[in-house]
Amino acid sequence: MNEAMRQTMWGFIFLLVDIRIISFDILPDWIGYLLVAFGCSKAFSLKAIRSFRHAQNTAIILLLIYIAVTIINISTGLSSAVDLNRPPGYSAAFYMTTASQTIHLLLVFWICSALHEYASGNGLSELSAKARGRWKGYLVCSTAILISISFIPNGDKSLALIVIPAAIISFILELLIINLLLNTAREAHKLEPSS
Amino acid sequence: MNKKPLIIALVLIITAYLGNGIYYDRMKLEEGFFLNHDYELITEIRGSSLFELHYLDNRGESEKISWISVPGLDFIRMNQSYIRNEGAYVFQEIRTFAFDSSYMTDEQMQSLEGVEINKVAVHYSNGQSKEMPIGSIRFIKDESFSKRGSEIVPLENYSSGSSSTGAGFNAARASESLTITDAFIRTPISFSDAFCFEVEVTGTSQDPHTGAVDRIHQGLQCKESSFPIQANKDDTVWINHMFNRKAVPAAYTFATFSIQVTGMRENGESFTHTTHIRHQPSLSGDDIRSIIKQRRNAE
């Protein structure tokens, strides 16, 4: 379980870090989702918590979306690349970005739900409360950010400044989820030192 | 964990995106169009720029136009296009297409006398073409231009100005005592309901600039000019004008036209003095919405 959680955690770290060399993302998000899918699959095979299976499936959907975007980027050339981080107006790319971010919200729900269930089942009440708390915070902030962004193309240019605080808040939220996964991995290691 | 908050959040997100998407689609134009132009161009004037056409389209979509031509007048060439007031509007943009006369010969320029252009051919980057109305561009010959040279004219233009309120002035100095008998717009304009002018004469003791600028800032109201009006040597003859921006869509017209002042010189000879007015409306976001609304109502 320790290994599965660490794998999932590394997946989230890959999602968080964006290193580009001349527009080319050397840490594409699909690698992150692949690691999350593997980690959740491993966790499900060990603990049979259904939320891990849901998280795995959700990660696969996101993985496919990002692979499609990468293929489009390569086939159309980098100058006209579909960049999910810079949506132009209410275009297909804009809706694709929103869809992927909304599905990511679902992924976080299944992971927090699985960790909550795992912690409750092993008498780790503090970790269980933490999983529930992080999910609530993540849900409220992400929903507020996604709804705010939906107004940007219809509003004044200054409305686009929302993106800056939104990016900072999103970064902190993802760090909190990574921290939650790390805590779970440590607790799992304590419970099952041989793993 | 309880799924209810997640479901509520998803419903809110989807509603926000659908609502904003529907609003965005409603604000978008089905197709771009040219704003109204009413140009009276003088074939004797050979500046580098011939005229400019202004095209309203959704943001980022006007670049689909590669070039524009005037059917039957291939020697009138477009030389550049640019976005006017870039980023000024949320949903739309105005692309200005500039036409140059530097490629044209004097014969070609003179051949335009009496020509009226109402449509242009728009050529898109996908190879398609389409004719679109632009308003009216009329080419006329101005006799007063051919007469000019060393000849002393009774009224000499020396100053002009305009403000974003739609008011403007043209000032001319009287080189001799004269009588102004009439003033009129030379060729009919499509926005006569939204335009007025007056003729006023001020003495040399008055500061003409300050008076005119004050009047413009106060929101000039055109007064009825009662002819004949006497002007002494060195007096300033003011032709003050105003575009009524509340009279839409006329006030949104891009226009160039002439006001002619006629009268008698000291020696009893008649004279005609021509003043050129150029109107380049500065359109706000509300103006753009109003133009689109009126166009939709008219369709």
Side-chain angles (χ1 to χ4, degrees), chain A residues 89-90 94-95 98 102 105-106 109-110 112-113 116 132 135 139 143 146-147 149-151 153-155 157, chain B residues 1-3 5-6 9-10 12-14 16-25 27 59 86-87 90-91:
Chain A
Y90 291 100
F94 185 79
Y95 281 116
T98 313
T102 309
L105 179 68
L106 208 59
F109 169 74
W110 291 125
C112 288
S113 189
H116 170 71
R132 209 168 39 215
W135 161 244
L139 178 70
T143 306
L146 281 167
I147 290 174
I149 288 172
S150 77
F151 287 91
N154 272 337
K157 266 190 163 182
Chain B
M1 267 191 329
N2 189 2
K3 284 182 191 166
L6 173 69
L10 292 178
L12 286 174
I13 292 165
I14 292 166
Y17 279 86
L18 281 179
N20 276 299
I22 290 166
Y23 180 73
Y24 185 78
D25 275 347
M27 297 307 287
R59 273 180 81 172
E86 193 155 8
V90 175
F91 305 101

Side-chain angles (χ1 to χ4, degrees), chain B residues 6 17 34 41 45 57 72 79 84 97 141 146 169 179 215 218 240 247 256 290:
Chain B
L6 173 69
Y17 279 86
F34 282 96
L41 302 177
I45 299 178
D57 206 343
N79 69 336
R84 194 180 168 86
F97 297 94
K141 189 180 172 75
S146 355
F169 68 91
T179 307
R215 283 172 58 84
Q218 284 160 15
N240 301 320
T256 310
S290 175

Side-chain angles (χ1 to χ4, degrees), chain B residues 30 42 44 193 196 202:
Chain B
E30 280 181 27
I42 293 158
E44 281 82 358
D193 291 347
C196 70
T202 57

Side-chain angles (χ1 to χ4, degrees), chain A residues 82-102:
Chain A
V82 176
D83 187 342
L84 290 189
N85 298 315
R86 295 179 193 83
Y90 291 100
S91 58
F94 185 79
Y95 281 116
M96 215 162 153
T97 313
T98 313
S100 62
Q101 285 167 350
T102 309

